[in-house]
Amino acid sequence: AYRFALVRNPWARQVSMFHFLLETASCAKPCGQRAAHCDKRLLPQAGPWLASVDLATPRFRAWIRDMAAAFPPGHPQQHLFGARFHGNERDAWYNASQISWMVDGRGAVLVDDIFKLEELQQHWPTLQRRVCSLRGVPYADGGLRKNPSTHAHYSRYYDDQTRRIVAQYMQADIDRFGYTFEQQQGGG
């Protein structure tokens, strides 16, 4: 069986996850009514402030700092900085990085291909050849479930401190996949 994985720019992933959880997932509900993992991951109460980059930015930065203080690198639950767990938290090598989902205890990669989400279109022909249900499906119609969260370019949410915090947790992804922090060019 063909196995592949997608990875994403770590800084973009954090902003997207923050907005996704607070806009559309179980964390959009009021405190006390939302899923327990929302409070465990120290997410703020969702509100109309999410629609404004100027109002969301300080809350996002506070969330990154709070998560780093609560679950520093090396903490048994540091994975919460990057994702919820799905049984893999029992594995000593599982952490906040995306690559930790794709390796065994020796560090051997368990998938055939790893594609950057930002480069998915160029790899679409490979996926079409390897995944039967994608044969003949144009990339634009690929049935990809788009993340419904809305936010500005990720670089607008970070300051130097929060950019460094994410890099500290995601250094394995940054090194392995060559990610860099990209400043948004132009307006918006």
Side-chain angles (χ1 to χ4, degrees):
Y2 176 64
R3 298 165 299 174
F4 73 95
L6 296 174
V7 294
R8 186 173 189 185
N9 179 299
W11 295 280
R13 181 175 173 239
Q14 290 299 113
V15 170
S16 182
M17 178 174 51
F18 179 79
H19 277 267
F20 174 74
L21 289 172
L22 290 172
E23 289 175 16
T24 61
S26 55
C27 300
K29 297 176 183 174
C31 289
Q33 297 177 20
R34 62 190 195 169
H37 75 88
C38 306
D39 293 329
K40 176 79 172 171
R41 292 176 78 188
L42 308 175
L43 286 158
Q45 174 69 49
W49 56 267
L50 275 165
S52 164
V53 68
D54 292 332
L55 297 176
T57 295
R59 287 177 173 92
F60 173 78
R61 290 175 182 172
W63 175 66
I64 292 289
R65 288 190 298 271
D66 291 348
M67 288 293 289
F71 308 108
H75 187 281
Q77 293 184 320
Q78 74 169 350
H79 60 272
L80 292 172
F81 188 89
R84 283 180 57 194
F85 49 86
H86 302 281
N88 43 356
E89 74 280 4
R90 294 182 301 253
D91 299 326
W93 62 89
Y94 179 59
N95 56 52
S97 72
Q98 296 168 87
I99 193 65
S100 72
W101 283 69
M102 301 170 224
V103 297
D104 66 15
R106 297 179 325 275
V109 176
L110 301 172
V111 296
D112 300 308
D113 288 313
I114 301 172
F115 302 116
K116 289 180 168 182
L117 183 63
E118 300 83 3
E119 299 170 354
L120 184 58
Q121 186 169 4
Q122 78 185 57
H123 296 292
W124 193 250
T126 299
L127 287 170
Q128 286 180 303
R129 280 191 308 278
R130 304 291 308 264
V131 180
C132 295
S133 62
L134 296 178
R135 290 187 184 137
V137 177
Y139 175 78
D141 297 332
L144 299 174
R145 186 171 165 258
K146 303 277 191 241
N147 183 334
S149 68
T150 55
H151 49 79
H153 187 268
Y154 73 85
S155 63
R156 296 199 46 204
Y157 292 85
Y158 288 92
D159 57 17
D160 289 340
Q161 179 191 26
T162 54
R163 186 171 50 238
R164 283 191 307 271
I165 290 170
V166 171
Q168 184 178 18
Y169 282 89
M170 308 301 178
Q171 196 63 53
D173 294 336
I174 293 164
D175 292 344
R176 183 170 191 116
F177 305 115
Y179 279 113
T180 60
F181 188 89
E182 302 167 348
Q183 292 293 338
Q184 182 183 26
Q185 301 300 313

